[in-house]
Amino acid sequence: MNVLDLIRAAGPLLWVLLLLSVYVVYLVAVRVQALSRLGRDASTLIERARAVTAESGPGAALAEVDRASHSSPAATVLRAGLSRADRGVEAATSAMQGALIVEEDRLYTGLSALGTAAQVAPLLGLLGTVIGMVRSFLVFSQTTAPTPEQLATGISEALINTAGGLIVAIVAYVARGALRTRADRIATQAERVREELPGWLVRPAASLLSRADVALTFDDVLPGEMRR
């Protein structure tokens, strides 16, 4: 019995499972491609932005990030925070929070659909099983001595639909877990930026204040030393 014979024996419900499997494979392929694009490591860019912020301020750091043309969520959150840094730490934090929400939506798009497919596929397989068993019992009601071929039709439909539903569910469930793990790793880097950038904005100000105090002290002491 080849694949076409199995499909014919499984009945029309298997076509629904086949369409669902095609959708699952398509969705997984799209999400893998999207996460590969969004998952570029931004560690070097983050450290560079930190150094430039401490040395030249958030405006220069923003120009550095724009020149990098980095498409990762971490870079987007970083860009949002630096662009509002001139309005204060709270404004920068709020901008980063908004950007992070948008980026998380991009990262986790399609995962709920995979979860739904993983739940629906076994139910469709179970429905096909029930239909196949009903057909087998109808043979008994219509024939006093059913042949093995007559019984095999309903039993084949039941088992093939069960197997098809389980296969689709397993693929969808495993793919969803792998994609979520990948998305979590990317989101963690973006959250790191949101947590660390306010500290970058505070430290340069504190450093400038400290330098001003040192300069003032030096100016106060220098005339006295010269008089001596």
Side-chain angles (χ1 to χ4, degrees):
M1 180 178 289
N2 55 33
V3 177
L4 292 178
D5 293 334
L6 289 175
I7 293 176
R8 295 191 190 98
L13 195 60
L14 186 63
W15 290 103
V16 179
L17 286 171
L18 289 175
L19 290 176
L20 183 61
S21 68
V22 171
Y23 173 72
V24 168
V25 172
Y26 166 77
L27 189 58
V28 170
V30 170
R31 295 313 304 161
V32 167
Q33 183 179 10
L35 292 179
S36 298
R37 185 179 66 256
L38 296 174
R40 293 176 57 193
D41 187 19
S43 299
T44 303
L45 179 63
I46 294 171
E47 294 304 322
R48 177 62 181 165
R50 185 205 305 270
V52 174
T53 301
E55 181 180 352
S56 305
L62 177 61
E64 186 74 19
V65 174
D66 289 338
R67 280 195 298 270
S69 299
H70 211 284
S71 60
S72 67
T76 301
V77 173
L78 181 60
R79 191 177 295 108
L82 292 173
S83 65
R84 300 291 294 274
D86 58 336
R87 303 184 184 182
V89 176
E90 292 185 2
T93 302
S94 177
M96 287 189 293
Q97 183 62 35
L100 184 60
I101 292 174
V102 174
E103 292 303 311
E104 286 182 346
D105 184 65
R106 292 174 62 194
L107 287 173
Y108 296 102
T109 296
L111 297 187
S112 60
L114 284 175
T116 301
Q119 294 175 344
V120 170
L123 298 178
L124 291 174
L126 179 60
L127 179 59
T129 302
V130 172
I131 294 174
M133 297 307 297
V134 168
R135 289 187 178 182
S136 295
F137 284 111
L138 287 176
V139 173
F140 281 102
S141 66
Q142 297 172 358
T143 307
T144 56
T147 63
E149 290 78 9
Q150 291 174 323
L151 294 176
T153 302
I155 296 175
S156 298
E157 180 176 354
L159 296 179
I160 293 172
N161 281 288
T162 300
L166 291 176
I167 291 172
V168 175
I170 291 171
V171 171
Y173 185 80
V174 172
R176 178 177 179 270
L179 292 173
R180 176 173 287 278
T181 300
R182 175 64 170 162
D184 288 341
R185 191 179 302 115
I186 299 172
T188 298
Q189 193 172 53
E191 290 174 358
R192 171 194 165 194
V193 173
R194 183 192 61 179
E195 295 294 330
E196 293 182 0
L197 192 143
W200 306 355
L201 302 179
V202 172
R203 281 198 296 271
S207 177
L208 290 175
L209 181 60
S210 177
R211 292 178 185 176
D213 291 341
V214 171
L216 180 60
T217 303
F218 183 76
D219 291 340
D220 291 342
V221 173
L222 185 58
E225 293 293 336
M226 293 177 64
R227 284 193 298 268
R228 294 179 187 176

